[in-house]
Each structure stands twice: as C-alpha cells, then as structure tokens.
Amino acid sequence: MEGKYVAALDIGTTTVRCHVLDQSTAINGSASQVIEHIYPQIGQDEIEPEELWTKVISVLQDAIRAAGVSPRHIACIGISAQRSSFVTWHKETGKPFHNFITWKDVRADSLVRQWNDSVTMKVTLRLVWALQNVKTLIDAAANHEAMFGTVDTWILYKLTGGRLHVTDVSNASATGFFDPFTMKWANWALRLFQIPSDMLPEVWDTAADFGCLTPDIIGHAIPIRSLVADQAASLFGSCCFEEGDVKVTLGTGTFLNVNTGCKPFASVEGLYPQVGWRFGKEIVYVMEGASHDTGSLINWAQQIGLVSDPCESSDMAISVQDSNGLYFIPAFSGIQAPINNFQAAAGFIGIKPTTSRQHMMRAILESIAFRVVQLFHSLQKEVKSHYTSIRVDGGVSRNDFVTQTLADLTGLKVERPTSSEMSVLGAAFLAGLHAGVWLSKDELKALRQLDRVFEPRPHVCDAYSGTMMLWSQALERFLDWYES
C-alpha cells in the first residue's frame, strides 16, 4: 500500500542503523555504519558531530535505496538515539564548540563523586565541565548564543535545516537536569550548576510533528514523527505497554527497564526513574538499572583471542559443566547499581592449572547474567509487581547460554523476539502510530514475533546458589581498586 512504509533511524553507541519497514514490520531495506569514537585522553570518549551527521545521511539514503521504494511512499520517519551524549553549538552558525561528549566519558567523574556518585548527574556535570573549560562555549553562553543538545536534538536540528531545537521527554529525562515529577527542566539544578536555560531545547512529546527532512537529503520532505531515547524505544518496541512489563537490553551494556505506569518511583537501590514516553494524554514512566559492560566483554574476549567468533561463545560455555571455580568481575566501566562503585576493577579470580579457554568464556558469560540478576533483585525490592517474564533484545540476547542462565536464575520466562532491533522497532511504532500507519497498541502486539522462549529450570537455579554467592564475594575484592 503506497505511503505506508516507515523509516526508523537508530543512532546507537557503536552503530548508526536505518530500517525501512512495511505495515507488517517486515524490513524492506536496511543499512548501517560504525560510529568512530575519539579518545583524546584516558577516560575521555568523544564523537565528531559532522562525521556522525555524514553517516546518518549516508545510512538513510542507503536504506531507502535498498528498500527499492520511492521516498514519497514513506509515510514518516522515527528516530531513536543513544542517551546522555551531548554537544553544544553556535546559535547562528550551527558550528559545534566541541565534539559529542559521550555517556561513557568520565572526565567529570571528580565532580560526580562530589555529588554522591549520582548516575543521573553525570550529563549535568559533563556539561558543567564544558561550560568551565571550552573557551568558545564560555563566551557564547555569556552572549546567549549557545545551544545544547543530546544526539536526538542535534540530528533533528540538522535534518530540519536548523529549524527546530527540540528534544522529547524520554531523552530530556536522561540528562539529570529534567524533573520527571514536574516534567520540566529543573530550575533548581540549572541555578545550582549555573547552566543557562536559554541554551536548552524545547521538550515535546515522544510522538509529535517534528517537522520534515529537508528535500535535499533524499529528494522528498519525509515527515519526522518520533524522537525517543534508545531504551524507551526498546521498551516500546518490545510492546511493554502494561505496568510491570520488563525488558532487558543486552547490547554494548545491559539496561533493565520496567514500565511503572503513570508515576515515577524514587529509588534507594541505585536504580533511577526515567520518562518512557509521552504520547497524547498518556505518560509512561520507567525504572531503570544498568550494567555498562556486556557486549563489550565479548568483544574484548575476541580481541585477546579467547574466542574467534562471538557466536561461538555460547557453545564454548556449554561445553564445560561449570567454570571450574573461576569467576570474572565485569567492571571495565566500574560496577553500577546496586553496588555503584566506579573505582572497581575488572578481572578473573580463581585461575588454576586446569583452567581452560572454555572455563574463562563461561565465567565471562555467567558474570553478564549475574549482573542482570543483581539488577532484577533490586527492582523487586523497589517496584512491587507480579513479574512473569522478561523480554530481551540486543546483540547479546542471541547468546543462548546467557538468556537461558538469566531464565534459570530469575525464575522467569525469557522471551527473545525474532528481531533483536527493538530500538528501531520502537521508533518506528511511535512514528507510525502518530502518522496513522498503525491504529492501536493492540495492532502492534499482534505483530510481535518470538524466536524462542527460555523456560526457567529450578534445579539449575539451586545448583547456582553457591556459585553466585562466591561470585559476590569475589566482587567485593575488586571494589575500590582504583584511586578516587
């Protein structure tokens, strides 16, 4: 049917992807490119804005070309983006003052520790760092000529030819200076950290009329109808529409999210409330916990020759009965909730002469599952609900050993969809609902396709009780390894 295709652009941490989907969510064409990161100093992680923009345009053009459809037949485009990475630029020229400072950047961690190691403060304090250290930005901010934006804001600004300086509630809530209780920029935080309010974007609904692509990009002014943070997009793409629905994204890092309905929860366990989406009269909040090292661990194992192909890691782990008393602590980026120790070190403990590559690979994969279990137990303490299943997505969700272990240790069914690209699907769903390509959430639920459901095995959970206890003891030995 003409005019019923939806393009979904997903700008992640490691790749830019674009899919062109039809009404059945079949992918008619897709394209992707790797995002290059720059590391000026140890702990600093940046992305060059114009290079990212060039790749976004290239991926859009390639995906539409691969789909073999006219741009005029694409009803709308939805955009999902990594959260918490930001850039600032000049209001008149549009020229960035610096590279994107990504969510993995730790240059402001000394400031973060002064503020009780708050995860949600990290973007705020990275911006404070920029406002104190980038001379051109300091001058522009003083003259009311500076603009701030997360990845979604910058890309929308560029796609619309500089017409819109806008973000959505889900991306705004990840900055640390947006109040999810009042749904506004937090004036107290802006005053406290001396952040000029006039450099901030307007905050709109997650699905809205975000203008159109300028015609020169792909030859037609395709309407942009959603902006959404990647984890909120993943939750929506997984059809977690009901309060208590849980999804776990196993990508570069792990993100556990639960739909908490129409109200945000405060946390004592180190989880944090976010806005999932605001669409029409509906506002949905989520509670989130994260572990920053997941897919990055398997990539590291490949780099050092522990496994030749990440796809082989599951079979390697299954080939041995256990890890032979070996434990791995997944803390390349410290340990997040509920431990929240950013000076933790990564490493193995318990190596023996009989330790094999298979034992090492199993210990790494077990550590991924153990961290998810920690997050889930924290969630159970804070958000009381009757949990029956976990919906997974992301590249590591294709690893059968990890997903089966997750089912065993949580006692819940783990549902793996046919496609692992839930962020892409969520952005498409939100845009398509707003544009009338799909008419209801029930219609979206009917389109959901599962690849496999992993059932929990109680006897395996019992066998793991001692193993996870020893892993927790090993974790304690790796905390506070690095100096503050």
Side-chain angles (χ1 to χ4, degrees), residues 402-414:
V402 171
T403 45
Q404 182 61 64
T405 303
L406 183 56
D408 295 335
L409 299 184
T410 61
L412 303 179
K413 293 188 297 182
V414 172

Side-chain angles (χ1 to χ4, degrees), residues 46-91:
E46 301 180 352
I47 298 170
E48 206 284 313
E50 292 299 339
E51 182 179 351
L52 179 63
W53 166 241
T54 299
K55 290 188 174 182
V56 165
I57 295 307
S58 178
V59 164
L60 266 171
Q61 293 171 342
D62 290 348
I64 293 171
R65 189 179 302 114
V69 300
S70 166
R72 295 181 180 278
H73 295 162
I74 297 175
C76 58
I77 182 171
I79 300 171
S80 162
Q82 57 169 296
R83 304 167 304 173
S84 304
S85 302
F86 74 90
V87 69
T88 61
W89 64 96
H90 195 280
K91 184 178 291 186

